Amino acid sequence: MSSPAALLRRLSSLLLLLMFALAALPAAAQTLRITSALVAPGDTPGFPGDADARPVTLPDDWSRTRPNEAGPVWYRVGFRALQRPGDDELSALYIERACTNLEVHLNGQLVFSGGRMREPATNNCGQPQLVTLPSALIAPELNTLDIKVTGQPLARVGSRWRAGGLSALELGPQSLLLHRQARQHTFAVALPQALSATLLLMGSFMFVLGTINRRESHLAYFGALSVLWSALEARLWLRTVPVDPAVAEFLLCSLLAFITLAAVQFLLRYARHRSRLADRLLPLQCVAMPASLVLAGAAHLHTLTMLWSLLLGLQVGAAALLYLRAQWRAHSRSSWVMAATLGTLALAALVEFVSQQIGGSPLPAQAARLVAPLMFVVVGLRLVQQHGRALQEAELGRAHLEERVREATAEIERNFRQLAELRVEQITERERKRIAADLHDDLGAKLLTIVHTSDDQRISTLAREALEEMRLSVRGLTGRAVRLADALGDWRAEVVNRLAQAGIQAEWDAPEDLTQMLSARAFVQTTRILREATSNIIKHSGGSHASVTCTVADGDFKVVVQDDGDGIKIENDGRLDRGHGMATMKNRAKQLQGQCLVESAPGRGTVIRLTIPLDRALEGAA
């Protein structure tokens, strides 16, 4: 038989349970919110009746009510049936938070288990639970709910929200509570999972991108930051981890040092600042923090993690201020955007830190934890956009550079051709001068000897003409430019003298003091055209009068030779350039990019019009 003390304890428990059940039942509410329970520690199959049960207020936060105690802990509440006769809708129990795991017993029968209850227990922290209560187990009057919760004391976890505890309970129709459970699951589980998956994919891509492009090392650090942050949310995906809880907490807390390294280096590299001190101390810090946690032991994990979190947060804040200072000095247009982003992250970190210190509802901390990954996604998209724009600008710059290279290559090839042509011209010029010297020294001397020593007048005349033609050729070969005024003087002397010797009256009309220079080639060709025209007048015209008119007009040098002779007879094919050297004169004019026109009719004389472009035949006077 039970002792009187044990019986008294059981009666006291039943009275308290009945009082909680009567106080929790509102008159006309659809759901029943339970904020009081009896609590008793014990790892037993059912509620430990022999234990000293005491009343607690829900939510029960172990970090305050039992900071150094671990589970399991039993909670007992009583309620009256909510279903009315003929009501077929199922009742359910909504538990917003039970950390780490739980089992639910209705009137002594197990109706729900969250998984493994012994270490390593299934991690259901942050997972809202909806437990269906079978109608067959619900008594018409008083019912008993026993909830077994296993968890970790605050001292052994890095965050207050991973310490053991149980939220307030809510009883009601399953359809009504299902919507609440779905909303809470979306906010506390689904949305963080989606953001962590996005960070994992985006971070991996940016890490590879930054590793390949060493000049964009800030992308690699931001990618590492995103991947490490997503690793913090791994407990949402891996609810059952085959390691001791102390090891899992140690790994999660150690990630903070690596996250700080990635965040600080990202801000510094993004600001185009390289700090050797940070490059050396940050990796050492990633070793020092885990070592200090190991040396302090699991019993001091929470305290030491809070101290390290404060120190790491100050480091990130200092790097953020340095980045904003660099952006402000550079007058960057994105400085205000990044300032707002960093300010939002700082505010979210402050809210979570204060929430952990003062306790209460975990809702502000949950909202703060969503801000960080959301801001990371926004910043990541911004970095990808900037990188894409930089690639586009680089591609445009490369295309522009290729165009400049092509232009430079064409210019080099053109200069090379010009140098080659100049080289050929120089060699040709030297050869011309050599030939001219040979003609002048050898052939000229011999012709001059024939002119002075020959007794035959005809031979002497032919030798003199050959000598003059040779001198003209030599003059052309030497390539020396001639003043147009001097050329006109030479032409006048030769033409007038030859016409006078033939008994033909000659008129010469040309401007004086012309400043242009006539190229040697143009001088030679023009001289030969005038000689051919003069010879035709003497030999074939039969006239007694000839005139030569020279003008410079409209950019052209023009010569008109006219006689009053018999004219040129038109050949059988109707052309005037047959015989009399007409074709030769036209060909010489064509070589100078000019033209030679012949106008003639029987009995009306002949007119020869020579036109030479000045830009082809003339050079400006020095």
Side-chain angles (χ1 to χ4, degrees), residues 22 29 102 188 217 361 364 373 409 476 540 565 598:
L22 293 175
L102 80 164
S217 59
S361 173
T409 303
H540 307 292
V598 180

Side-chain angles (χ1 to χ4, degrees), residues 42-43 62 66 69-75 97-103 114-125 147-153 162-166 245:
D43 189 9
W62 291 10
R66 52 182 73 243
E69 298 180 20
V73 173
W74 283 90
Y75 294 86
R97 176 178 179 268
C99 196
T100 300
N101 197 15
L102 80 164
E103 289 180 352
R116 184 180 174 87
M117 295 293 292
R118 298 183 181 276
E119 301 299 347
T122 302
N123 181 15
N124 281 314
C125 283
I147 303 173
K148 183 180 181 181
V149 178
T150 182
Q152 296 294 324
R162 295 198 293 274
L166 180 67

Side-chain angles (χ1 to χ4, degrees), residues 248-263:
E249 284 295 327
F250 168 78
L251 294 176
L252 284 176
C253 295
S254 299
L255 280 178
L256 297 178
F258 294 92
I259 290 175
T260 302
L261 182 148

Side-chain angles (χ1 to χ4, degrees), residues 263-343:
V264 171
Q265 290 288 35
F266 162 68
L267 291 171
L268 294 180
R269 300 298 176 89
Y270 197 34
R272 304 299 179 186
H273 178 74
R274 183 73 179 267
S275 173
R276 294 185 177 179
L277 183 62
D279 293 343
R280 295 174 181 176
L281 294 184
L282 288 175
L284 292 177
Q285 183 174 256
C286 293
V287 177
M289 180 181 177
S292 65
L293 296 179
V294 171
L295 293 175
H300 301 89
L301 180 67
H302 179 76
T303 302
L304 197 57
T305 300
M306 289 296 101
L307 294 176
W308 271 108
S309 298
L310 182 60
L311 177 61
L312 299 178
L314 292 176
Q315 295 175 17
V316 176
L321 291 177
L322 190 149
Y323 166 78
L324 292 177
R325 179 184 178 186
Q327 291 292 303
W328 182 265
R329 287 184 174 181
H331 303 286
S332 175
R333 292 181 297 178
S334 62
S335 59
W336 291 107
V337 177
M338 288 299 296
T341 302
L342 293 174

Side-chain angles (χ1 to χ4, degrees), residues 531-558:
R531 283 182 180 178
E532 186 65 30
T534 303
S535 298
N536 287 339
I537 293 174
I538 295 173
K539 297 178 180 179
H540 307 292
S541 69
S544 60
H545 184 272
S547 64
V548 180
T549 303
C550 301
T551 59
V552 176
D554 300 329
D556 295 330
F557 173 56
K558 298 181 179 180

Side-chain angles (χ1 to χ4, degrees), residues 187-205:
F187 185 76
V189 179
L191 191 56
Q193 283 181 337
L195 290 175
S196 65
T198 303
L199 286 179
L200 179 62
L201 294 176
M202 183 183 68
S204 301
F205 168 75

Side-chain angles (χ1 to χ4, degrees), residues 206-229:
M206 297 186 69
F207 181 79
V208 174
L209 192 63
T211 304
I212 294 175
N213 301 316
R214 303 300 296 271
R215 296 180 59 184
E216 304 291 335
S217 59
H218 65 280
L219 296 179
Y221 282 109
F222 185 82
L225 173 62
S226 301
V227 172
L228 291 172
W229 192 272

Side-chain angles (χ1 to χ4, degrees), residues 376-621:
F376 288 163
V377 171
V378 173
V379 173
L381 294 177
R382 173 66 175 171
L383 292 175
V384 171
Q385 180 189 22
Q386 290 179 346
H387 183 72
R389 188 178 302 167
L391 286 180
Q392 184 180 12
E393 293 177 356
E395 184 66 22
L396 293 176
R398 187 181 65 83
H400 180 67
L401 181 61
E402 289 180 352
E403 181 65 24
R404 294 289 300 274
V405 169
R406 284 195 295 269
E407 293 177 357
T409 303
E411 182 68 21
I412 292 173
E413 291 177 352
R414 186 164 52 252
N415 293 337
F416 181 78
R417 287 195 300 269
Q418 292 177 353
L419 289 174
E421 293 173 356
L422 180 61
R423 179 65 177 170
V424 171
E425 290 180 0
Q426 291 175 347
I427 296 175
T428 304
E429 183 67 20
R430 287 200 301 268
E431 192 64 20
R432 284 177 179 176
K433 291 181 179 180
R434 186 188 64 79
I435 294 173
D438 292 344
L439 290 174
H440 183 272
D441 296 340
D442 298 336
L443 184 58
K446 292 177 180 179
L447 290 175
L448 185 62
T449 301
I450 294 174
V451 169
H452 292 292
T453 59
S454 178
D455 297 331
D456 191 330
Q457 184 64 30
R458 181 173 177 276
I459 294 177
S460 179
T461 301
L462 292 175
R464 185 178 292 106
E465 293 177 356
L467 182 60
E468 291 296 328
E469 185 64 28
M470 184 209 67
R471 288 175 178 174
L472 184 61
S473 298
V474 169
R475 194 168 191 175
L477 289 174
T478 56
R480 296 176 183 176
V482 181
R483 292 182 68 250
L484 184 55
D486 296 339
L488 289 174
D490 293 343
W491 294 334
R492 176 179 181 179
E494 181 178 346
V495 171
V496 172
N497 184 44
R498 289 185 62 191
L499 291 176
Q501 291 179 358
I504 300 174
Q505 183 180 357
E507 293 184 7
W508 181 273
D509 184 13
E512 297 180 357
D513 299 329
L514 296 176
T515 59
Q516 292 88 349
M517 299 293 291
L518 192 64
S519 66
R521 182 165 174 263
F523 172 77
V524 171
Q525 299 291 13
T526 305
T527 300
R528 287 173 175 166
I529 292 173
L530 288 176
R531 283 182 180 178
E532 186 65 30
T534 303
S535 298
N536 287 339
I537 293 174
I538 295 173
K539 297 178 180 179
H540 307 292
S541 69
S544 60
H545 184 272
S547 64
V548 180
T549 303
C550 301
T551 59
V552 176
D554 300 329
D556 295 330
F557 173 56
K558 298 181 179 180
V559 179
V560 180
V561 181
Q562 185 174 4
D563 64 69
D564 59 352
D566 299 332
I568 302 175
K569 295 180 180 181
I570 299 178
E571 301 294 337
N572 294 332
D573 57 1
R575 295 177 59 182
L576 289 174
D577 56 357
R578 294 288 186 179
H580 307 295
M582 297 299 177
T584 303
M585 288 191 293
K586 290 183 177 182
N587 186 51
R588 295 184 187 280
K590 187 177 181 180
Q591 293 178 11
L592 299 177
Q593 304 298 321
Q595 62 179 356
C596 183
L597 301 179
V598 180
E599 301 173 2
S600 181
R604 301 179 62 180
T606 302
V607 178
I608 298 175
R609 302 181 186 276
L610 173 64
T611 303
I612 301 174
L614 285 174
D615 59 347
R616 298 287 183 178
L618 301 178
E619 299 176 353

